Each structure stands twice: as C-alpha cells, then as structure tokens.
Amino acid sequence: METSASYTYYIESDLMWFYGFWARRHNEGNIKKVRMILKEIKQHYDQNSEE
C-alpha cells in the first residue's frame, strides 16, 4: 500500500491478499467470527496507543 497526499493506493498484491483472505473466510463459513476477533484486536491496540 502506498500513500500520496490524501489518497491511498493499493497495489495489485494487496488486493489479491485482501480478496484471498476474505474469500477463504467465506468458504470456511467464519466471516462473522473472524471479523469479531479482528475488531477486538483493533480495539485493544487502539486503547494501548492512547497511553
């Protein structure tokens, strides 16, 4: 991922990884569970970054 001014550009490999990650979650039937876990991890690190 590259950033320029206020725009974020995703290179093709980023998009392939992103799609592949969520496509696998869909195939496994665990999208909601994985999303919940990732959200909890994000909240944990967001809280710690304020300290």
Side-chain angles (χ1 to χ4, degrees):
M1 177 172 57
E2 298 177 21
T3 308
S4 173
S6 63
Y7 297 99
T8 302
Y9 300 96
Y10 292 94
I11 58 176
E12 187 174 337
S13 62
D14 292 334
L15 295 174
M16 289 173 56
W17 180 91
F18 182 80
Y19 175 79
F21 178 84
W22 289 109
R24 183 173 178 187
R25 305 293 79 80
H26 174 74
N27 290 339
E28 294 173 348
N30 61 5
I31 286 179
K32 289 181 182 180
K33 183 71 170 173
V34 171
R35 182 183 174 278
M36 183 183 71
I37 292 168
L38 292 175
K39 187 176 180 180
E40 289 176 6
I41 291 169
K42 182 182 182 313
Q43 288 174 343
H44 171 77
Y45 283 100
D46 286 348
Q47 289 172 353
N48 287 338
S49 66
E50 294 174 1
E51 295 176 359

